[in-house]
């Protein structure tokens, strides 16, 4: 095996990078265009034009053709820019159960359906354990399938979070009324409760309530409380709200707990003995589940001078979580572990995640390991997988390992003597191998966006600090070794023609790249919009602007330009890492995708009888959809909890002044990120001045209609905190800085003329922003 070559972009979004079959060029007729959209499912205008090679006048003609087809009902809009044949459905979509017919059949409709999309009959998923039949108002993930009779039906893949008719909120008792105020800051609807039913509820209780069936169209809606989940004063309320708001599965079935409790320590049967190799785990200081361990030594092969051997040992979770078991069903339902500042909702019971599957120091553990050989240029020459028995020589934190290499003491509270004896025999060889691998990484040129992660420190239920996570060389060492292990897994499974779950990351869309170019133009930075994007181009931009005052916002905008990575049974490469093939293999304790890859390796390499089953293979596309949804659900829940914790941390500092930067410009106001905590909040447009403000999306700024003064994206500002609402995570700021003067190159705005989405100052708050307690 050789190291994966730098990736050639495969997306059809850019003609130069596509090898797709040629299509007839020129403006299509009506039937050809509809046939293209029928095959594509849905497409944006720019993608249609690119497919048919249209430019100039032909693009304008296409625009008129699309308008005509939309007007006569042949086309429907999908989102802001997309088009699809009227009534067309995507292969997979999120739907709500909207009706039940006389026979009891349920019908679903896309959550963002246009008027031309009719409800579709719901059929149960093949072989799925759905946890009970869906009901009216439930939200589901489904696959749309065409039947032989021409009709379409929706097959259930997975039930999603809360029902559309359920509300998570806070009890408010005032003026002889009891109301449920939703914790979702995007919602302004409240529920009115019957006083008799609410007599045992306390003001501030967090409750899950259901909208009553008798609620009228106007006026307050009535509801009833289904469950009291906590109190808004509970220090752990932020994560409780996030868990319930996003429908994060919690706990485990009794059968899964019993299977975990019955698990036995591993033996050497069917395994290679790797206990003589001094593996070490290097993790965050507070980590309890240790997925991976590493070890490196010079290659003894005379044919590979100055080469290195790198071992990556991963917990053999497949030995304990068997296909079709209760543990497997719960793990697939959860998709991944979810991490909050004050708790973890694990994918596996703690008996396994923190016990038999965790690579604990000094304890025998089952492992699926990969031995990788690198030459002196950092190129991976070969690799092989081994199912073995290992014993970790030491458990180190990133800070301990880095401090030993740097010859300094680790942070206070971490054992200063732990890493010292490991420096020469283990740590220095690891760093030597990492620096060699760095040559290969540099040649590959993966995307070098800097992360601005924050660490929330909670002690005795109170937030004591919010700090920026340090980026250490130790982090990069583990990251690069895990990437190479993941690449090795994908290469092996492809060579064995074994189905697998790829981790894919598509090339940025033309629209996003053009938007980036327009933003850079406002900073007088040159950027060729027509050139296909590559990681090398983005990295050069980031490097050239690293010392400029715009470095932080350029890093942020380049990050927003990227597509979202996801899981897929089909390979399209990984743009960000610049790799042709990539799969997740290194974290099976906390990601179901990695467990599937482990099973695939076991089956492909004949390493046991507990590998990928035919059932796993048959539902691999559905599994990709389920775990992609679970990942995004977890990210949203983690982000919401973090926002609420930060709002609680800042609630005592209302009235304080903070330095920050404009990170979002919308027609209803400016989003500000604070330098100190990374907190995000809103300055409403109504508080910015006495004139109309226009959202100029080309300039990425709010522009005063009378004076032309501007609030551009990236501008450093000072703001005063007006309100902090912990229960919703909302922060409201008052602008203290002055706007930039009018752009002398821009045409002067005419008083009273609003060509681009005007925003009139008005009283109150914009839609979606709730008022908290004013201090």
């Amino acid at each position: 095996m050789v190291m994966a070559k730098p990736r050639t972009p495969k997306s059809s979004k850019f003609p130069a990078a596509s090898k797709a079959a040629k299509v007839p060029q020129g403006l299509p007729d009506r039937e050809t265009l509809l046939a293209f959209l029928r095959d594509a499912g849905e497409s944006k205008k720019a993608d249609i034009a690119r497919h048919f090679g249209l430019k100039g006048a032909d693009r304008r003609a296409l625009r008129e053709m699309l308008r005509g087809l939309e007007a006569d009902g042949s086309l429907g809009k999908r989102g802001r820019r997309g088009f699809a044949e009227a009534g067309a459905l995507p292969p997979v979509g999120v739907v709500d159960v909207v009706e039940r017919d006389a026979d009891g059949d349920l019908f679903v409709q896309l959550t963002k359906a246009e008027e031309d999309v009719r409800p579709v009959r719901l059929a149960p998923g093949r072989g799925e354990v759905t946890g009970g039949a869906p009901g009216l108002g439930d939200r589901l993930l489904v696959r749309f399938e065409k039947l032989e009779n021409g009709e379409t039906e929706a097959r259930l893949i997975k039930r999603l979070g809360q029902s559309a008719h359920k509300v998570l909120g806070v009890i408010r008792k005032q003026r002889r009324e009891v109301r449920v105020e939703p914790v979702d800051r995007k919602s302004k609807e409240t529920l009115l409760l019957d006083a008799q039913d609410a007599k045992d509820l306390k003001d501030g209780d967090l409750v899950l309530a259901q909208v009553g069936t008798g609620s009228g169209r106007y006026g307050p809606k009535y509801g009833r409380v289904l469950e009291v989940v906590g109190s808004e004063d509970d220090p752990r309320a932020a994560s409780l709200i996030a868990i319930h708001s996003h429908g994060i599965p919690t706990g485990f079935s009794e059968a899964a707990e019993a299977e975990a409790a019955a698990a036995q320590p591993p033996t050497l049967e069917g395994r290679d003995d790797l206990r003589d190799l001094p593996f070490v785990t290097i993790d965050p200081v507070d980590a309890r589940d240790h997925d991976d361990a590493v070890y490196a030594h010079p290659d003894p092969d005379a044919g590979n001078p100055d080469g290195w051997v790198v071992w990556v040992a991963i917990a053999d979770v497949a030995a304990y979580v068997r296909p079709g078991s209760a543990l497997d069903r719960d793990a697939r339902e959860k998709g991944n572990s979810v991490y909050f500042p004050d708790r973890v909702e694990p994918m596996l019971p703690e008996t396994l995640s923190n016990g038999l599957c965790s690579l604990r120091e000094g304890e025998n553990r089952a492992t699926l390991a990969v031995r990788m050989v690198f030459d002196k240029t950092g190129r991976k020459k070969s690799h092989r997988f081994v199912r073995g028995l290992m014993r970790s020589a030491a458990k180190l934190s990133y800070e301990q390992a880095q401090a030993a290499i740097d010859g300094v003491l680790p942070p206070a509270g971490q054992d200063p003597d732990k890493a010292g004896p490991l420096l020469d025999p283990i740590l220095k060889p690891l760093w030597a191998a990492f620096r060699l691998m760095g040559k290969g990484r540099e040649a590959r040129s993966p995307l070098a966006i800097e992360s601005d992660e924050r660490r929330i420190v909670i002690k005795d239920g109170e937030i004591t600090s919010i700090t920026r996570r340090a980026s250490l060389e130790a982090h990069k060492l583990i990251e690069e070794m895990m990437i190479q292990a993941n690449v090795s897994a994908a290469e092996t499974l492809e060579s064995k023609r074994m189905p697998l779950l790829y981790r894919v990351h598509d090339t940025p869309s033309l629209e996003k790249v053009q938007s980036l170019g327009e933003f850079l133009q406002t900073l007088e930075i040159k950027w060729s919009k027509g050139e296909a994007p590559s990681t090398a181009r983005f990295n050069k931009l980031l490097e050239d602007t690293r010392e400029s005052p715009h470095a932080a916002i350029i890093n942020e905008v380049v990050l927003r330009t990227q597509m979202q990575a996801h899981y897929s049974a089909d390979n399209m490469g990984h743009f960000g890492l610049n790799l042709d093939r990539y799969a997740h293999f290194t974290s099976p304790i906390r990601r179901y995708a990695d467990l599937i890859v482990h099973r695939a390796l076991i089956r492909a390499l004949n390493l046991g009888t507990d590998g990928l089953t035919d059932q796993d293979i048959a539902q691999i596309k559905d599994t990709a959809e389920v775990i992609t949804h679970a990942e995004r659900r977890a990210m949203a829940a983690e982000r919401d909890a973090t926002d609420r914790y930060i709002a609680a941390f800042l609630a005592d500092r209302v009235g304080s002044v903070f330095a920050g930067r404009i990170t979002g410009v919308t027609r209803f106001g400016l989003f500000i990120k604070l330098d100190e905590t990374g907190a995000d909040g809103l300055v409403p447009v109504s508080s910015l001045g006495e004139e109309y403000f226009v959202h100029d999306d080309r300039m990425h700024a709010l522009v005063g209609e009378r004076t032309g003064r501007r609030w551009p994206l990236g501008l450093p500002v000072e703001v005063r905190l007006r309100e902090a609402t912990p229960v919703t995570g909302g922060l409201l700021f008052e602008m203290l800085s002055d706007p930039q003067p009018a752009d002398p190159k821009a045409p002067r705005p005419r008083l009273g003329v609003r060509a681009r989405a005007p925003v009139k100052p008005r009283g109150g708050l914009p839609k979606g922003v709730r008022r908290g307690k004013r201090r």
Side-chain angles (χ1 to χ4, degrees), residues 276-280 294-298 308 393-394 404-405 418-432:
D276 289 338
L277 301 181
F279 286 103
V280 293
V294 291
Y295 168 60
H297 62 82
W308 281 80
I405 289 292
K418 184 72 177 285
L422 307 172
L423 181 61
D424 289 326
I426 298 176
L427 295 180
K428 283 185 176 179
L430 278 172
W431 254 259

Side-chain angles (χ1 to χ4, degrees), residues 264-268 271-275 279 281 288 290-291 293 313-317 319-320 350-369 387-392 589:
Q264 297 296 314
T267 66
L268 264 177
R271 299 182 179 277
D272 290 1
D273 194 346
L274 305 178
R275 288 175 292 180
F279 286 103
T281 60
R288 297 173 63 193
H290 305 285
D291 283 287
I314 305 299
D316 189 357
V317 175
Y320 297 99
E350 290 196 10
T351 312
L352 296 178
S353 60
N354 298 344
L356 285 175
C357 289
S358 185
L359 306 183
R360 290 179 173 178
E361 179 180 338
E363 298 185 21
N364 289 348
R365 287 293 181 264
T367 182
L368 186 57
R387 207 170 190 190
L389 189 69
M390 63 155 288
R391 184 187 295 130
S392 171
I589 292 176

Side-chain angles (χ1 to χ4, degrees), residues 400-418:
Q400 285 174 316
Q402 190 66 56
I405 289 292
D406 295 342
V408 298
L409 291 175
Q414 299 191 36
D415 187 352
D417 302 320
K418 184 72 177 285

